Amino acid sequence: MNLTDSDYWDSAYKNRDFEHWELNYPSPELAALIAARALKRNAKILDVGCGGGLDAIFLAQCGFSVVGVDFSPAALRIAEKRARETYVEVDWCLGNVLDLPVEDDTIDLVTDRGLFHVIEDDDRPRYSSELHRVLKLNSHVIIRGASKESAQDRFNPVTEEAIEKYFSKFESGPVLPIPLFSIAGVMDGRIVVLKKK
Ligand code: SAH
């Protein structure tokens, strides 16, 4: 099992084996951000590693312009079908987050749920620089992923040290504990919000 390999993810989505990370709701922390009206009405939001697209669809339902990027074609097929059934439009893009198919300085918010924690250290500088490139100045990234305690040898956790090391071109808020809910259960997680400097 190699979480950096698109084939691993693609076969999981093909087998509809995603209950360990998908949730039947939009992620609560994202809903809270929207409820607090932290974004302007016509904001453009990028969901990196959007998977089956539930957060992206929620954001489109809220009226935002949404781009969902994932490197699993099977994930995007599921996401597209769900969007059609919900009558919303999302710009689904097959691509790698290390080489985002998105123009410079065009994004008002990046949402990452469960993506940074599958990016290996060697690729983290590239990931950070891609997010920096596509975001508008003073715009935010919201990252949620496994904590050091829950990561085991499966994930590369979201820690203060990692954020400090790889996101020096961003202003960082605190790394805080949250539950990461999925259909299968709950995992100890961390959340951090970064602002492009
Ligand atoms: N955000 C979704 C999916 C989380 S699982 C949710 O919360 O349900 C991680 C997702 O990131 C998977 O869909 C996987 O296919 C995708 N992914 C992992 N590495 C990627 C990469 N380098 N480029 C694009 N997508 C990637």
Side-chain angles (χ1 to χ4, degrees), residues 3-4 9 13 21-23 47-52 55 69-72 75 95-98 113-115 118-119:
L3 300 183
T4 63
W9 292 101
Y13 286 106
W21 61 90
E22 270 211 354
L23 180 60
D47 188 344
V48 281
C50 63
D55 272 349
V69 175
D70 205 285
F71 66 8
S72 159
N96 196 311
V97 297
L98 303 177
R113 178 177 182 269
L115 190 265
V118 301
I119 306 276

Side-chain angles (χ1 to χ4, degrees), residues 30-165:
L30 197 59
L33 199 69
I34 305 308
R37 297 192 292 183
L39 287 158
K40 60 182 194 295
R41 284 175 80 120
N42 60 349
K44 186 165 180 179
I45 305 180
L46 170 64
D47 188 344
V48 281
C50 63
L54 292 170
D55 272 349
I57 290 167
F58 160 71
L59 293 167
Q61 284 176 314
C62 293
F64 298 107
S65 154
V66 186
V67 182
V69 175
D70 205 285
F71 66 8
S72 159
L76 293 186
R77 281 196 295 275
I78 292 169
E80 261 166 11
K81 179 162 183 278
R82 286 173 171 165
R84 225 178 304 124
E85 287 166 358
T86 326
Y87 303 103
V88 294
E89 287 221 359
V90 173
D91 182 7
W92 305 110
C93 298
L94 184 66
N96 196 311
V97 297
L98 303 177
D99 189 11
L100 280 170
V102 177
E103 283 181 26
D104 299 1
D105 303 306
T106 51
I107 300 295
D108 295 289
L109 175 74
V110 173
T111 169
D112 167 339
R113 178 177 182 269
L115 190 265
F116 182 61
H117 76 181
V118 301
I119 306 276
E120 289 179 340
D121 282 349
D122 282 352
D123 290 330
R124 280 180 161 186
R126 174 87 203 169
Y127 177 59
S128 169
S129 74
E130 276 298 88
L131 296 190
H132 198 273
R133 179 181 68 75
V134 301
L135 276 165
K136 294 179 188 169
L137 193 65
N138 295 323
S139 296
H140 294 90
V141 188
I142 172 171
I143 296 178
R144 299 82 99 200
S147 68
K148 211 179 224 160
E149 292 69 29
S150 64
Q152 299 171 332
D153 48 11
R154 208 175 144 78
F155 299 114
N156 191 4
V158 179
T159 61
E160 264 174 41
E161 302 75 54
I163 296 298
E164 214 173 281
K165 182 165 178 192

